[in-house]
Amino acid sequence: MTPRGRRPGEPGTKGRIVESAREEFAAQGYDATSLRAVARRAGVDPALIRHYFGGKSALFGETLAMPVRLDDAVAAIITQPPEDMGKAAVRMFLTVWDTATGRTGFALLVRGAMSQVSAARMLREFLIREVIGRVVRGHRVVLPHLSVTVPTGQVVG
């Protein structure tokens, strides 16, 4: 008699997806990376990425080895009244920073953004789309045009 239900996944599949995502984010940036491209690189079905991670921002967070799901952290911030979102963001950052994994993830992220134009672009795209964009959409906040200076001195925005 054959067992019912889904077969167990291959050991290492989740790690292969995370590594493929790191490579894809590094090569394409946050905005241009698609879950389909990550799945193709990892040799898995895109539905498996959604199963393991839920979406692109959570997968990005996993590539940084953060101890929190970025989707959940951003959701917790944007559910606050506008006047409390800044405090909630700082509280979340400090909570993550207080863990060894969080410090390492943030250090790698900042070090990469300071030394590589592509990493700075990826961080900017993520922050604008997944953090600032969600805050603006959720509270109908109007912000002036954002620009970021990357290590080469060029202004991107």
Side-chain angles (χ1 to χ4, degrees):
M1 187 165 163
T2 54
R4 297 173 69 117
R6 277 176 52 163
R7 293 184 321 208
E10 290 178 38
T13 300
K14 190 173 181 181
R16 195 169 71 244
I17 292 169
V18 171
E19 187 55 38
S20 297
R22 273 192 196 106
E23 293 168 4
E24 196 68 26
F25 284 129
Q28 305 300 324
Y30 183 82
D31 281 346
T33 295
S34 70
L35 293 182
R36 287 186 186 279
V38 172
R40 196 171 26 257
R41 189 181 283 258
V44 299
D45 188 284
L48 193 56
I49 296 175
R50 290 217 179 270
H51 169 75
Y52 280 134
F53 305 101
K56 186 161 83 167
S57 62
L59 178 58
F60 180 71
E62 190 75 21
T63 67
L64 302 174
M66 290 292 172
V68 297
R69 287 183 53 100
L70 292 176
D71 280 350
D72 296 340
V74 172
I77 292 167
I78 65 173
T79 59
Q80 301 295 313
E83 63 273 9
D84 293 334
M85 286 191 301
K87 288 185 266 187
V90 170
R91 195 175 304 113
M92 184 275 304
F93 173 80
L94 292 175
T95 299
V96 173
W97 184 263
D98 279 344
T99 67
T101 306
R103 268 191 308 281
T104 301
F106 278 129
L108 290 171
L109 180 64
V110 172
R111 191 175 301 123
M114 298 301 283
S115 63
Q116 298 174 1
V117 173
S118 62
R121 184 186 84 222
M122 183 172 56
L123 177 59
R124 184 192 86 239
E125 290 171 355
F126 173 77
L127 290 173
I128 288 172
R129 178 173 309 279
E130 300 299 335
V131 179
I132 296 169
R134 288 178 65 188
V135 168
V136 169
R137 286 189 304 274
H139 290 284
R140 292 183 173 80
V141 177
V142 178
L143 297 175
H145 176 71
L146 298 172
S147 64
V148 176
T149 303
V150 292
T152 61
Q154 87 187 65
V155 176
V156 182

